[in-house]
Amino acid sequence: GSSGINAEYGGMICTLGTKAGSDFGLSLLFAALFIPLSFLTWYRMLYNAVRQDSSMRYMLFFFTYGFQILVSGLAALGISAGGFAGWITAFKTMEDNKALGVLGILNSLAWCANCLVAVYLIMQIHKTYRSTGQSMEKA
């Protein structure tokens, strides 16, 4: 959601301090792609699953949202040359520029919060899914 978008723009700021142009370019690409893809792969998919009460659509939602949780976790780590400013990138940046390092830490916290909220939400949606009598066998 919104914390992921905010973290992406924070990532663009933090990667400027690492002198890694490819990270900056990837963060711009991710910011441009993630906003429309979030509508198509999460919101619309969940809406259709609930509206049509379809196990198959729920399964597609769980798969795509699980992938989003994985990406959020990797973004929180901030692996070098990945386009995300997470913990690893923040501490590397802290050596050269303290201000950008602090922004990187705040960015990492936002990604962690995004990941935790996403896990909570998928658990709540799964609870709703199970309460409607849906199951893997029906998918």
Side-chain angles (χ1 to χ4, degrees):
S2 63
S3 65
I5 295 167
N6 291 336
E8 195 62 45
Y9 292 114
M12 289 189 292
I13 292 168
C14 189
T15 54
L16 289 174
T18 63
K19 298 181 183 107
S22 63
D23 283 349
F24 183 69
L26 281 173
S27 67
L28 286 173
L29 176 68
F30 292 156
L33 286 177
F34 285 174
I35 295 169
L37 285 177
S38 67
F39 174 77
L40 294 174
T41 61
W42 313 330
Y43 309 121
R44 185 174 174 159
M45 199 171 290
L46 180 60
Y47 171 76
N48 286 333
V50 172
R51 194 183 76 174
Q52 296 174 2
D53 200 25
S54 167
S55 280
M56 186 59 163
R57 291 192 185 269
Y58 271 109
M59 288 302 132
L60 287 171
F61 168 77
F62 289 136
F63 175 75
T64 58
Y65 204 68
F67 181 73
Q68 187 266 332
I69 292 170
L70 178 70
V71 169
S72 292
L74 291 174
L77 283 176
I79 299 169
S80 296
F84 298 108
W87 293 109
I88 296 170
T89 308
F91 288 122
K92 282 183 181 177
T93 304
M94 186 73 82
E95 296 168 1
D96 297 332
N97 188 330
K98 299 278 188 231
L100 284 177
V102 169
L103 280 176
I105 290 171
L106 293 174
N107 187 38
S108 303
L109 289 171
W111 275 115
C112 288
N114 185 34
C115 193
L116 291 173
V117 168
V119 168
Y120 173 76
L121 288 175
I122 203 166
M123 288 170 42
Q124 294 300 312
I125 293 166
H126 186 264
K127 190 186 308 182
T128 302
Y129 164 73
R130 295 299 288 183
S131 71
T132 61
Q134 300 291 342
S135 66
M136 279 283 267
E137 291 79 32
K138 291 182 182 180

